Amino acid sequence: MVKFGSTDNRPKVVLLLSLATSIVLDILFLSGALLTNISRGETAYTHVDMAAGSIFVFVISMIISLSLWPRVADWVENRETNNGIPN
């Protein structure tokens, strides 16, 4: 099998996890905004408000998740190496 790039896939995994996290949070934000508009009967948020809010949520969640996922990966890696060492 042909391998492309380095054997360390950690940056790719962190990026994909961050994208997935941001997309899930963005979907939650948009569904909350749409449900608010539906439940009130009148327009609480305009389409521009929802679009701008979803962009804001996506960018902020990408920033936060790109800083948190590497720490989670380090924690899991350290936990696995510590469990492999007999006492």
Side-chain angles (χ1 to χ4, degrees):
M1 179 181 258
V2 178
K3 293 187 179 186
F4 296 102
S6 66
T7 58
D8 187 22
N9 289 329
R10 187 172 173 179
K12 290 180 185 178
V13 170
V14 167
L15 180 64
L16 290 175
L17 285 172
S18 297
L19 279 172
T21 303
S22 297
I23 289 171
V24 167
L25 289 174
D26 207 20
I27 289 170
L28 288 174
F29 170 79
L30 282 175
S31 62
L34 290 172
L35 287 174
T36 301
N37 274 350
I38 291 170
S39 68
R40 289 193 177 180
E42 61 186 41
T43 304
Y45 303 112
T46 64
H47 293 293
V48 174
D49 291 337
M50 289 188 280
S54 66
I55 292 169
F56 179 77
V57 167
F58 184 79
V59 170
I60 292 298
S61 62
M62 275 296 287
I63 292 169
I64 293 171
S65 62
L66 279 172
S67 66
L68 289 179
W69 279 117
R71 291 183 186 191
V72 171
D74 285 340
W75 179 75
V76 169
E77 186 177 300
N78 288 338
R79 188 173 160 205
E80 287 176 357
T81 57
N82 289 342
N83 286 344
I85 299 172
N87 290 334

